[in-house]
Amino acid sequence: MAVKGKVKRGEYFDSVTLMLAGRDLSGLPGVQDAAVVMGTRENLAILEASGLLCPEFAAAGDTDLLLAVKAGDEVAAARALDAAEKRLAERKSKPAGPAGVVSVRSLEGAVKLQPGSRLALISVAGRYAAAEAWRAIDQGLHVMLFSDNVPLESEIALKRAARERGLLVMGPDCGTAIVNGIPLGFANVVERGGVGIVAASGTGLQEVSVLVSNAGAGISQALGTGGRDVKEAVGGIMFVEALKALAGDPSTAVILLVSKPPHPSVLKRIADACRAISKPVVSIFLGAPPGVAEAFSTYAAATLEEAALVAARIAREGASSASEAAGRIRRELDARDRALLEKAGPMAQGLSPGRRYLRGLFSGGTFCSEALFILRGRLSALWSNAPAGDARALDNPLHSRENTLVDLGEDAFTVGRPHPMIDFDLRKRRMVEEIRDPETAVILLDVVLGYGSHPDPAGELAPLVRDAAGAVRVICSVTGTDHDPQSRSRVERTLREAGARVMPSNAAAALLAGAVCARLQA
């Protein structure tokens, strides 16, 4: 076995190109494993854990591209690296768009080409993103700032300036939005309807929007703010502005708020804005203690699923039935959850002695947080790289201990590497590691569909689910609709046939996984 690597100094490629190049490299003759990533500290640690760390990488920096390959012999490894370099060069030389499509190299040029534009979606390296956002605001455009790693002071200045000009800045690190029926970023194909969403959470927005749509209602607008917006420093500027926008939107009948608990000062601003709105408001502030949102929400839910189902029912039946609709939903979910707890016993049987711990591998940070809050009080010894509730911080996010839930979409994993909703490589490596760990009993997954996400998530995960059969239990949820490019029902069917237990929501999956492991740890 030979491991070889090359460093491409100062080379930059977008996430999709990195993913495709890595896949090309892995598929070459004689190649056992491969990676194409930027030379960040976190990526070097991942390469080391995978047996792909080469001496050449010792002096690499964040702006250097690393090619690593493990092959049957030196000749195969060298040929694979040469082929990978050639393919990267070909991708760089390809034209920016299809033949006949006019391409521009600046935001100003794009506005001249399409003068009726009202929104700019910005997805460049974080160090350049704020400058592009300023250009968009100066052009009178709303901004969806997909980029992450944007300085906090830049976010605050951008949002204050946008508010003064009557514009929205969604983000930074805003992965999802739906504006006038158009999905942006990681978004799903949902029905149009009367539920408007404000979310300081990308995957949280996706979860509630698809659950609303699958429940027979629809989405008017779904506006992301970026997770830092509800922190004290930013002050909820865009959360409140988005609320005002939905209050004045004639297509919005019900407003649904999604976030982790805002800072108290921000919560007061949100509450004041809600009290000035006559439309019903449903809220889910994940992990918030009882009473936080009841004072200004028509209904305060405990999970993303509950919030979505209540909002959908109010949209279908009218605001006058809000209390009755919420009560029915709560009773239905309670009955469902009791049935899930009964299923945990049989699922805990047949595992090898010593297998007792839960390992959650999430592509969505909100899903990881929701699961941690649901497991609070049900499992002890909870660990995470993004701790919430009773969980403690992992010393090393690359290795699990006891009950571990990992957010693979954290910035440490996504700098110089495709997001885990695009590229399943890192999650698949972790699944192999967890299956081999004699203490793993349950692997908990989120599978997120829609535009921007991997085109065949079931094809990526099903072989590993089959490998896990008999050794561990795999429990997952699928966030998507049948209208998504991947088709929710097709993905669910493939995963079930491979041996996974597919649940209707992230909340249900976390509850069942926790119940199985609680029995094993009793």
Side-chain angles (χ1 to χ4, degrees):
M1 190 68 64
V3 177
K4 294 182 71 68
K6 282 189 177 181
V7 179
K8 307 287 288 181
R9 301 288 180 191
E11 292 274 0
Y12 175 81
F13 292 89
D14 63 81
S15 294
V16 174
T17 297
L18 292 179
M19 178 188 73
L20 294 174
R23 184 177 299 170
D24 287 347
L25 186 53
S26 297
L28 292 172
V31 174
Q32 305 294 318
D33 197 2
V36 180
V37 296
M38 303 304 293
T40 65
R41 181 182 61 183
E42 291 78 15
N43 283 338
L44 290 171
I46 294 169
L47 291 174
E48 182 177 19
S50 304
L52 290 169
L53 188 65
C54 302
E56 296 94 324
F57 301 160
D62 291 2
T63 59
D64 297 327
L65 180 67
L66 309 183
L67 310 178
V69 62
K70 183 188 296 182
D73 54 49
E74 293 277 345
V75 174
R79 286 177 177 169
L81 286 176
D82 290 342
E85 284 192 284
K86 182 179 179 182
R87 294 187 188 191
L88 283 171
E90 290 172 352
R91 293 186 187 280
K92 181 173 280 190
S93 64
K94 283 185 177 180
V101 174
V102 178
S103 178
V104 295
R105 300 184 65 84
S106 70
L107 189 143
E108 291 81 3
V111 171
K112 287 180 181 178
L113 185 67
Q114 190 170 289
S117 299
R118 294 289 293 123
L119 182 147
L121 194 160
I122 297 172
S123 179
V124 297
R127 71 188 74 178
Y128 310 117
E132 293 300 325
W134 279 115
R135 292 188 180 97
I137 289 173
D138 288 341
Q139 293 283 337
L141 300 176
H142 300 287
V143 174
M144 179 176 174
L145 196 48
F146 191 89
S147 306
D148 57 7
N149 296 297
V150 175
L152 178 61
E153 58 272 18
S154 296
E155 176 179 353
I156 296 169
L158 283 166
K159 289 183 172 179
R160 287 176 176 171
R163 179 176 58 188
E164 291 173 1
R165 303 181 197 192
L167 299 172
L168 296 179
V169 172
M170 297 181 284
D173 202 13
C174 176
T176 304
I178 302 172
V179 179
N180 294 331
I182 306 300
L184 301 172
F186 292 116
N188 302 85
V189 184
V190 297
E191 299 293 337
R192 296 294 302 274
V195 179
I197 303 169
V198 181
S201 156
T203 47
L205 189 157
Q206 286 191 264
E207 176 83 334
V208 296
S209 66
V210 302
L211 289 171
V212 165
S213 184
N214 293 336
I219 305 302
S220 57
Q221 316 285 346
L223 307 177
T225 67
R228 292 191 309 203
D229 193 82
V230 295
K231 304 293 185 183
E232 181 180 18
V234 183
I237 295 173
M238 281 301 132
F239 207 98
V240 170
E241 292 304 303
L243 257 173
K244 293 177 181 177
L246 293 184
D249 176 29
S251 65
T252 298
V254 184
I255 298 175
L256 173 53
L257 311 182
V258 182
S259 176
K260 296 176 185 176
H263 184 272
S265 63
V266 177
L267 187 67
K268 183 180 184 304
R269 295 188 184 103
I270 294 172
D272 290 342
C274 286
R275 292 189 186 101
I277 296 172
S278 59
K279 298 176 181 180
V281 176
V282 178
S283 65
I284 169 62
F285 294 127
L286 285 169
V292 164
E294 279 79 355
F296 61 86
S297 297
T298 306
Y299 186 78
T303 66
L304 295 167
E305 180 181 26
E306 181 182 358
L309 296 179
V310 170
R313 191 157 294 185
I314 293 173
R316 294 199 314 269
E317 300 179 4
S320 60
S321 64
S323 178
E324 181 184 350
R328 277 184 282 152
I329 292 294
R330 184 64 267 164
R331 290 191 294 274
E332 291 166 8
L333 289 177
D334 284 343
R336 191 276 312 275
D337 290 349
R338 287 193 296 272
L340 283 181
L341 294 177
E342 292 177 2
K343 294 178 181 178
M347 288 186 67
Q349 297 174 3
L351 292 170
S352 300
R355 288 195 177 272
R356 59 190 184 278
Y357 289 124
L358 172 61
R359 304 293 162 78
L361 304 175
F362 291 91
S363 60
T366 302
F367 290 145
C368 185
S369 294
E370 183 181 44
L372 286 169
F373 287 124
I374 288 171
L375 295 171
R376 179 172 53 187
R378 299 178 183 274
L379 294 178
S380 58
L382 275 169
W383 300 85
S384 179
N385 65 325
D390 296 335
R392 290 172 283 177
L394 282 169
D395 296 328
N396 183 355
L398 295 177
H399 297 289
S400 299
R401 57 184 300 184
E402 299 174 306
N403 299 298
T404 293
L405 275 63
V406 179
D407 173 13
L408 296 171
E410 276 280 286
D411 288 353
F413 289 121
T414 58
V415 176
R417 173 180 286 273
H419 193 279
M421 288 198 297
I422 300 173
D423 184 6
F424 279 39
D425 178 70
L426 183 55
R427 180 145 62 161
K428 287 162 64 178
R429 292 179 187 274
R430 287 297 295 266
M431 284 186 70
V432 170
E433 181 180 325
E434 301 299 357
I435 293 168
R436 291 174 178 171
D437 186 337
E439 292 188 330
T440 302
V442 175
I443 295 176
L444 175 62
L445 305 172
D446 60 341
V447 183
V448 184
L449 313 184
Y451 294 116
S453 294
H454 194 287
D456 185 19
E460 292 282 316
L461 294 173
L464 288 169
V465 174
R466 292 190 191 96
D467 290 344
V472 302
R473 308 289 183 251
V474 177
I475 300 173
C476 67
S477 63
V478 177
T479 297
T481 72
D482 283 344
H483 300 298
D484 282 328
Q486 305 88 344
S487 177
R488 174 179 174 238
S489 59
R490 183 168 62 243
V491 170
E492 289 185 340
R493 182 172 60 251
T494 301
L495 292 173
R496 285 194 180 101
E497 290 172 351
R501 182 63 64 93
V502 182
M503 304 308 297
S505 68
N506 180 66
L511 180 66
L512 178 59
V516 172
C517 290
R519 287 177 178 267
L520 294 168
Q521 294 168 33

